[in-house]
Amino acid sequence: MKKVLLTLSIFIVILLLFINNGFAQTNNSSTFLRHMVIITFKSDASEDNIKSLDSIYTYLSKSPMVKDFELGVNISPRESGVIKHVYVTSFSTKEDMKNYTKIPEYKSLFKISMNIAEDVSVMDYWITK
């Protein structure tokens, strides 16, 4: 009888550990809306204007609506001589992304980029971590 109770107890503990682990994995996943902007700059774009654009994106990334932000410069040898920057901003909801565009400084992104961008690619996608 003691062996049966011991075996049953061990089985229940193991079962509870598996159930708890399953809940932990489910609760740790997060969904984010990623907004990626890739800008190819004109060959005559000034370094100061490019830095201004980077600064505005960095400033906007401080908004509480932004969950994560990355700024990168293309280093691929395949496109030598072409300056490209990528700006990746993550949001929890579409509503947060929509409200982000209402920040007054957001409009200045277009004023600067229209003068120095040769090409702009935008991509929005959902991710789960």
PDB file of all heavy atoms in Angstrom, residues 65-88:
ATOM      1  N   MET A  65       4.382  53.810 -26.224  1.00  0.00           N
ATOM      2  CA  MET A  65       3.701  52.910 -27.157  1.00  0.00           C
ATOM      3  C   MET A  65       4.678  51.948 -27.841  1.00  0.00           C
ATOM      4  O   MET A  65       4.294  50.913 -28.344  1.00  0.00           O
ATOM      5  CB  MET A  65       2.965  53.718 -28.229  1.00  0.00           C
ATOM      6  CG  MET A  65       1.793  54.496 -27.692  1.00  0.00           C
ATOM      7  SD  MET A  65       1.101  55.622 -28.920  1.00  0.00           S
ATOM      8  CE  MET A  65       2.132  57.056 -28.707  1.00  0.00           C
ATOM      9  N   VAL A  66       5.956  52.312 -27.844  1.00  0.00           N
ATOM     10  CA  VAL A  66       6.985  51.514 -28.508  1.00  0.00           C
ATOM     11  C   VAL A  66       7.523  50.475 -27.530  1.00  0.00           C
ATOM     12  O   VAL A  66       7.963  50.799 -26.436  1.00  0.00           O
ATOM     13  CB  VAL A  66       8.134  52.418 -29.020  1.00  0.00           C
ATOM     14  CG1 VAL A  66       9.271  51.586 -29.584  1.00  0.00           C
ATOM     15  CG2 VAL A  66       7.608  53.399 -30.055  1.00  0.00           C
ATOM     16  N   LYS A  67       7.459  49.226 -27.936  1.00  0.00           N
ATOM     17  CA  LYS A  67       7.936  48.129 -27.084  1.00  0.00           C
ATOM     18  C   LYS A  67       9.392  47.773 -27.362  1.00  0.00           C
ATOM     19  O   LYS A  67      10.074  47.251 -26.501  1.00  0.00           O
ATOM     20  CB  LYS A  67       7.048  46.890 -27.262  1.00  0.00           C
ATOM     21  CG  LYS A  67       5.618  47.131 -26.854  1.00  0.00           C
ATOM     22  CD  LYS A  67       5.548  47.638 -25.439  1.00  0.00           C
ATOM     23  CE  LYS A  67       4.150  48.092 -25.076  1.00  0.00           C
ATOM     24  NZ  LYS A  67       4.123  48.967 -23.924  1.00  0.00           N
ATOM     25  N   ASP A  68       9.852  48.043 -28.590  1.00  0.00           N
ATOM     26  CA  ASP A  68      11.235  47.752 -28.935  1.00  0.00           C
ATOM     27  C   ASP A  68      11.589  48.578 -30.170  1.00  0.00           C
ATOM     28  O   ASP A  68      10.718  48.913 -30.976  1.00  0.00           O
ATOM     29  CB  ASP A  68      11.409  46.252 -29.227  1.00  0.00           C
ATOM     30  CG  ASP A  68      12.864  45.831 -29.303  1.00  0.00           C
ATOM     31  OD1 ASP A  68      13.710  46.471 -28.644  1.00  0.00           O
ATOM     32  OD2 ASP A  68      13.159  44.871 -30.024  1.00  0.00           O
ATOM     33  N   PHE A  69      12.865  48.909 -30.293  1.00  0.00           N
ATOM     34  CA  PHE A  69      13.323  49.701 -31.430  1.00  0.00           C
ATOM     35  C   PHE A  69      14.736  49.286 -31.798  1.00  0.00           C
ATOM     36  O   PHE A  69      15.563  49.034 -30.923  1.00  0.00           O
ATOM     37  CB  PHE A  69      13.295  51.195 -31.092  1.00  0.00           C
ATOM     38  CG  PHE A  69      13.900  52.061 -32.163  1.00  0.00           C
ATOM     39  CD1 PHE A  69      13.218  52.298 -33.343  1.00  0.00           C
ATOM     40  CD2 PHE A  69      15.146  52.626 -31.995  1.00  0.00           C
ATOM     41  CE1 PHE A  69      13.771  53.091 -34.345  1.00  0.00           C
ATOM     42  CE2 PHE A  69      15.707  53.420 -32.983  1.00  0.00           C
ATOM     43  CZ  PHE A  69      15.017  53.657 -34.158  1.00  0.00           C
ATOM     44  N   GLU A  70      14.972  49.198 -33.103  1.00  0.00           N
ATOM     45  CA  GLU A  70      16.312  48.907 -33.613  1.00  0.00           C
ATOM     46  C   GLU A  70      16.615  49.852 -34.767  1.00  0.00           C
ATOM     47  O   GLU A  70      15.749  50.127 -35.592  1.00  0.00           O
ATOM     48  CB  GLU A  70      16.409  47.473 -34.132  1.00  0.00           C
ATOM     49  CG  GLU A  70      16.205  46.422 -33.078  1.00  0.00           C
ATOM     50  CD  GLU A  70      16.200  45.011 -33.661  1.00  0.00           C
ATOM     51  OE1 GLU A  70      16.488  44.847 -34.871  1.00  0.00           O
ATOM     52  OE2 GLU A  70      15.897  44.082 -32.918  1.00  0.00           O
ATOM     53  N   LEU A  71      17.844  50.309 -34.795  1.00  0.00           N
ATOM     54  CA  LEU A  71      18.331  51.145 -35.882  1.00  0.00           C
ATOM     55  C   LEU A  71      19.594  50.485 -36.393  1.00  0.00           C
ATOM     56  O   LEU A  71      20.477  50.130 -35.593  1.00  0.00           O
ATOM     57  CB  LEU A  71      18.631  52.557 -35.365  1.00  0.00           C
ATOM     58  CG  LEU A  71      19.540  53.445 -36.211  1.00  0.00           C
ATOM     59  CD1 LEU A  71      18.841  53.821 -37.503  1.00  0.00           C
ATOM     60  CD2 LEU A  71      19.932  54.685 -35.442  1.00  0.00           C
ATOM     61  N   GLY A  72      19.684  50.282 -37.684  1.00  0.00           N
ATOM     62  CA  GLY A  72      20.879  49.653 -38.234  1.00  0.00           C
ATOM     63  C   GLY A  72      21.255  50.266 -39.564  1.00  0.00           C
ATOM     64  O   GLY A  72      20.441  50.856 -40.261  1.00  0.00           O
ATOM     65  N   VAL A  73      22.543  50.121 -39.886  1.00  0.00           N
ATOM     66  CA  VAL A  73      23.076  50.598 -41.151  1.00  0.00           C
ATOM     67  C   VAL A  73      23.539  49.383 -41.941  1.00  0.00           C
ATOM     68  O   VAL A  73      24.222  48.505 -41.398  1.00  0.00           O
ATOM     69  CB  VAL A  73      24.252  51.574 -40.918  1.00  0.00           C
ATOM     70  CG1 VAL A  73      24.819  52.057 -42.248  1.00  0.00           C
ATOM     71  CG2 VAL A  73      23.808  52.749 -40.068  1.00  0.00           C
ATOM     72  N   ASN A  74      23.178  49.342 -43.206  1.00  0.00           N
ATOM     73  CA  ASN A  74      23.550  48.232 -44.073  1.00  0.00           C
ATOM     74  C   ASN A  74      25.075  48.102 -44.151  1.00  0.00           C
ATOM     75  O   ASN A  74      25.772  49.074 -44.428  1.00  0.00           O
ATOM     76  CB  ASN A  74      22.973  48.452 -45.472  1.00  0.00           C
ATOM     77  CG  ASN A  74      23.347  47.346 -46.433  1.00  0.00           C
ATOM     78  OD1 ASN A  74      23.478  46.195 -46.043  1.00  0.00           O
ATOM     79  ND2 ASN A  74      23.514  47.699 -47.690  1.00  0.00           N
ATOM     80  N   ILE A  75      25.567  46.894 -43.900  1.00  0.00           N
ATOM     81  CA  ILE A  75      27.002  46.639 -44.024  1.00  0.00           C
ATOM     82  C   ILE A  75      27.280  45.545 -45.051  1.00  0.00           C
ATOM     83  O   ILE A  75      28.411  45.082 -45.179  1.00  0.00           O
ATOM     84  CB  ILE A  75      27.628  46.255 -42.663  1.00  0.00           C
ATOM     85  CG1 ILE A  75      26.964  45.002 -42.092  1.00  0.00           C
ATOM     86  CG2 ILE A  75      27.546  47.419 -41.685  1.00  0.00           C
ATOM     87  CD1 ILE A  75      27.664  44.411 -40.886  1.00  0.00           C
ATOM     88  N   SER A  76      26.267  45.174 -45.806  1.00  0.00           N
ATOM     89  CA  SER A  76      26.418  44.106 -46.787  1.00  0.00           C
ATOM     90  C   SER A  76      27.374  44.537 -47.899  1.00  0.00           C
ATOM     91  O   SER A  76      27.224  45.613 -48.478  1.00  0.00           O
ATOM     92  CB  SER A  76      25.058  43.746 -47.391  1.00  0.00           C
ATOM     93  OG  SER A  76      25.234  42.833 -48.450  1.00  0.00           O
ATOM     94  N   PRO A  77      28.335  43.689 -48.224  1.00  0.00           N
ATOM     95  CA  PRO A  77      29.266  44.025 -49.308  1.00  0.00           C
ATOM     96  C   PRO A  77      28.609  43.958 -50.693  1.00  0.00           C
ATOM     97  O   PRO A  77      29.162  44.438 -51.671  1.00  0.00           O
ATOM     98  CB  PRO A  77      30.361  42.959 -49.169  1.00  0.00           C
ATOM     99  CG  PRO A  77      29.707  41.813 -48.489  1.00  0.00           C
ATOM    100  CD  PRO A  77      28.657  42.416 -47.589  1.00  0.00           C
ATOM    101  N   ARG A  78      27.426  43.383 -50.770  1.00  0.00           N
ATOM    102  CA  ARG A  78      26.735  43.247 -52.057  1.00  0.00           C
ATOM    103  C   ARG A  78      26.237  44.573 -52.613  1.00  0.00           C
ATOM    104  O   ARG A  78      25.961  44.691 -53.780  1.00  0.00           O
ATOM    105  CB  ARG A  78      25.564  42.286 -51.939  1.00  0.00           C
ATOM    106  CG  ARG A  78      26.026  40.867 -51.781  1.00  0.00           C
ATOM    107  CD  ARG A  78      24.849  39.953 -51.769  1.00  0.00           C
ATOM    108  NE  ARG A  78      24.843  39.304 -50.461  1.00  0.00           N
ATOM    109  CZ  ARG A  78      23.811  38.762 -49.901  1.00  0.00           C
ATOM    110  NH1 ARG A  78      22.660  38.788 -50.492  1.00  0.00           N
ATOM    111  NH2 ARG A  78      23.900  38.181 -48.731  1.00  0.00           N
ATOM    112  N   GLU A  79      26.076  45.552 -51.755  1.00  0.00           N
ATOM    113  CA  GLU A  79      25.553  46.831 -52.215  1.00  0.00           C
ATOM    114  C   GLU A  79      26.543  47.941 -51.866  1.00  0.00           C
ATOM    115  O   GLU A  79      26.201  48.914 -51.209  1.00  0.00           O
ATOM    116  CB  GLU A  79      24.195  47.106 -51.578  1.00  0.00           C
ATOM    117  CG  GLU A  79      23.143  46.087 -51.988  1.00  0.00           C
ATOM    118  CD  GLU A  79      21.758  46.489 -51.565  1.00  0.00           C
ATOM    119  OE1 GLU A  79      21.378  47.648 -51.799  1.00  0.00           O
ATOM    120  OE2 GLU A  79      21.056  45.637 -51.000  1.00  0.00           O
ATOM    121  N   SER A  80      27.758  47.787 -52.293  1.00  0.00           N
ATOM    122  CA  SER A  80      28.793  48.756 -51.952  1.00  0.00           C
ATOM    123  C   SER A  80      28.440  50.128 -52.520  1.00  0.00           C
ATOM    124  O   SER A  80      27.967  50.257 -53.643  1.00  0.00           O
ATOM    125  CB  SER A  80      30.155  48.290 -52.476  1.00  0.00           C
ATOM    126  OG  SER A  80      30.098  48.149 -53.870  1.00  0.00           O
ATOM    127  N   GLY A  81      28.664  51.130 -51.711  1.00  0.00           N
ATOM    128  CA  GLY A  81      28.395  52.494 -52.122  1.00  0.00           C
ATOM    129  C   GLY A  81      26.970  52.950 -51.885  1.00  0.00           C
ATOM    130  O   GLY A  81      26.675  54.125 -52.014  1.00  0.00           O
ATOM    131  N   VAL A  82      26.073  52.039 -51.547  1.00  0.00           N
ATOM    132  CA  VAL A  82      24.688  52.416 -51.304  1.00  0.00           C
ATOM    133  C   VAL A  82      24.469  52.486 -49.793  1.00  0.00           C
ATOM    134  O   VAL A  82      24.718  51.517 -49.085  1.00  0.00           O
ATOM    135  CB  VAL A  82      23.708  51.389 -51.922  1.00  0.00           C
ATOM    136  CG1 VAL A  82      22.270  51.757 -51.605  1.00  0.00           C
ATOM    137  CG2 VAL A  82      23.914  51.311 -53.422  1.00  0.00           C
ATOM    138  N   ILE A  83      24.046  53.637 -49.325  1.00  0.00           N
ATOM    139  CA  ILE A  83      23.804  53.794 -47.885  1.00  0.00           C
ATOM    140  C   ILE A  83      22.343  53.480 -47.615  1.00  0.00           C
ATOM    141  O   ILE A  83      21.444  54.117 -48.167  1.00  0.00           O
ATOM    142  CB  ILE A  83      24.134  55.219 -47.409  1.00  0.00           C
ATOM    143  CG1 ILE A  83      25.607  55.544 -47.674  1.00  0.00           C
ATOM    144  CG2 ILE A  83      23.824  55.372 -45.919  1.00  0.00           C
ATOM    145  CD1 ILE A  83      25.980  56.982 -47.397  1.00  0.00           C
ATOM    146  N   LYS A  84      22.126  52.480 -46.784  1.00  0.00           N
ATOM    147  CA  LYS A  84      20.775  52.105 -46.380  1.00  0.00           C
ATOM    148  C   LYS A  84      20.712  52.036 -44.864  1.00  0.00           C
ATOM    149  O   LYS A  84      21.623  51.514 -44.230  1.00  0.00           O
ATOM    150  CB  LYS A  84      20.380  50.735 -46.943  1.00  0.00           C
ATOM    151  CG  LYS A  84      20.098  50.714 -48.408  1.00  0.00           C
ATOM    152  CD  LYS A  84      19.550  49.374 -48.825  1.00  0.00           C
ATOM    153  CE  LYS A  84      19.236  49.360 -50.299  1.00  0.00           C
ATOM    154  NZ  LYS A  84      18.635  48.100 -50.717  1.00  0.00           N
ATOM    155  N   HIS A  85      19.635  52.551 -44.325  1.00  0.00           N
ATOM    156  CA  HIS A  85      19.368  52.430 -42.898  1.00  0.00           C
ATOM    157  C   HIS A  85      18.067  51.660 -42.729  1.00  0.00           C
ATOM    158  O   HIS A  85      17.158  51.781 -43.552  1.00  0.00           O
ATOM    159  CB  HIS A  85      19.220  53.801 -42.238  1.00  0.00           C
ATOM    160  CG  HIS A  85      20.515  54.519 -42.069  1.00  0.00           C
ATOM    161  ND1 HIS A  85      20.710  55.453 -41.089  1.00  0.00           N
ATOM    162  CD2 HIS A  85      21.684  54.453 -42.737  1.00  0.00           C
ATOM    163  CE1 HIS A  85      21.937  55.935 -41.164  1.00  0.00           C
ATOM    164  NE2 HIS A  85      22.538  55.335 -42.170  1.00  0.00           N
ATOM    165  N   VAL A  86      18.000  50.885 -41.656  1.00  0.00           N
ATOM    166  CA  VAL A  86      16.771  50.174 -41.342  1.00  0.00           C
ATOM    167  C   VAL A  86      16.323  50.621 -39.947  1.00  0.00           C
ATOM    168  O   VAL A  86      17.146  50.760 -39.040  1.00  0.00           O
ATOM    169  CB  VAL A  86      16.930  48.639 -41.430  1.00  0.00           C
ATOM    170  CG1 VAL A  86      17.949  48.128 -40.443  1.00  0.00           C
ATOM    171  CG2 VAL A  86      15.602  47.935 -41.244  1.00  0.00           C
ATOM    172  N   TYR A  87      15.045  50.891 -39.833  1.00  0.00           N
ATOM    173  CA  TYR A  87      14.432  51.301 -38.575  1.00  0.00           C
ATOM    174  C   TYR A  87      13.318  50.291 -38.279  1.00  0.00           C
ATOM    175  O   TYR A  87      12.383  50.160 -39.066  1.00  0.00           O
ATOM    176  CB  TYR A  87      13.837  52.705 -38.677  1.00  0.00           C
ATOM    177  CG  TYR A  87      14.818  53.738 -39.213  1.00  0.00           C
ATOM    178  CD1 TYR A  87      14.866  54.039 -40.573  1.00  0.00           C
ATOM    179  CD2 TYR A  87      15.690  54.402 -38.359  1.00  0.00           C
ATOM    180  CE1 TYR A  87      15.753  54.977 -41.068  1.00  0.00           C
ATOM    181  CE2 TYR A  87      16.581  55.349 -38.849  1.00  0.00           C
ATOM    182  CZ  TYR A  87      16.610  55.635 -40.205  1.00  0.00           C
ATOM    183  OH  TYR A  87      17.497  56.566 -40.697  1.00  0.00           O
ATOM    184  N   VAL A  88      13.434  49.586 -37.168  1.00  0.00           N
ATOM    185  CA  VAL A  88      12.448  48.575 -36.815  1.00  0.00           C
ATOM    186  C   VAL A  88      11.829  48.973 -35.474  1.00  0.00           C
ATOM    187  O   VAL A  88      12.526  49.044 -34.459  1.00  0.00           O
ATOM    188  CB  VAL A  88      13.067  47.165 -36.724  1.00  0.00           C
ATOM    189  CG1 VAL A  88      11.994  46.136 -36.396  1.00  0.00           C
ATOM    190  CG2 VAL A  88      13.790  46.805 -38.012  1.00  0.00           C
TER     191      VAL A  88
END
